[in-house]
Amino acid sequence: MLSKTMQEALNQQVFMEAQSSQAYLAMASWAEIQPGLKGVTQFFFRHSEEERMHMLKLIHYINERGGFAVVPALEQPVLTFVSLKKAFEKLLDHELKVSGSINDLVDLSLKEKDYATHNFLQWYVNEQMEEERLARECNDKLELVGDDKSGLYLFDRDIMTMDQD
């Protein structure tokens, strides 16, 4: 059984995962209307779906542990970006915030001696390590590329394989 505090904290994470999905969906929509960014578009659409799956996993867990998962109202995400680099900087910033939130949940689970939730959250800890690595790698590559159009072409082509490493 989840404590009221833990249920509220997990529901806040449901909100954060839903916001992530919406933010990446907005990035995908923006990328889709930029010339030549088919790979980046697919990357953002896929990440939007992944975040939605993270949200659903939390919802099921809360409900299975005797709590009540709340489907949150969402804020309007940023819709446009001045550059691809800025979009990926936003992606990294967002993933760092999600990691911080997951770490806070892990800390709470240990303080409450809720070892089932602690165990459940380890999947998210590992997932966030991977998400941060990927976001940093994308930002590093975009930093190397700068404004070079052939480099952006190669980045767009290669981004889907970066996601599989």
Side-chain angles (χ1 to χ4, degrees), residues 13 16-17 20 23-24 27 47 51 54 87-105 124-125 127-137 139-140:
Q13 191 64 36
M16 185 167 273
E17 300 292 343
S20 297
Y24 300 155
M27 289 175 180
H47 277 272
E51 298 302 324
H54 297 174
F88 275 93
E89 287 172 359
K90 183 91 170 157
L91 172 86
L92 176 59
D93 289 345
H94 195 77
E95 289 300 340
L96 292 172
K97 286 178 189 167
V98 172
S99 293
S101 180
I102 294 294
N103 289 339
D104 290 345
L105 282 171
Y124 285 90
V125 170
E127 181 69 13
Q128 280 311 118
M129 288 171 47
E130 177 60 25
E131 296 291 341
E132 283 184 38
R133 180 204 59 79
L134 180 59
R136 280 191 181 93
E137 184 178 344
N139 277 278
D140 289 347

Side-chain angles (χ1 to χ4, degrees), residues 4-71:
K4 184 175 188 221
T5 303
M6 182 57 74
Q7 177 180 301
E8 288 172 359
L10 289 170
N11 272 317
Q12 183 57 38
Q13 191 64 36
V14 167
F15 171 76
M16 185 167 273
E17 300 292 343
Q19 280 294 131
S20 297
S21 180
Q22 286 290 95
Y24 300 155
L25 184 60
M27 289 175 180
S29 181
W30 173 82
E32 194 166 40
I33 63 170
Q34 306 307 307
L37 294 182
K38 186 175 181 179
V40 169
T41 298
Q42 290 173 353
F43 173 88
F44 283 131
F45 274 123
R46 184 160 70 209
H47 277 272
S48 174
E49 188 60 28
E50 280 181 18
E51 298 302 324
R52 183 177 177 277
M53 296 310 294
H54 297 174
M55 177 193 68
L56 291 174
K57 186 174 179 138
L58 281 162
I59 287 172
H60 292 304
Y61 180 78
I62 294 166
N63 289 336
E64 288 169 3
R65 291 289 314 282
F68 177 59
V70 177
V71 177

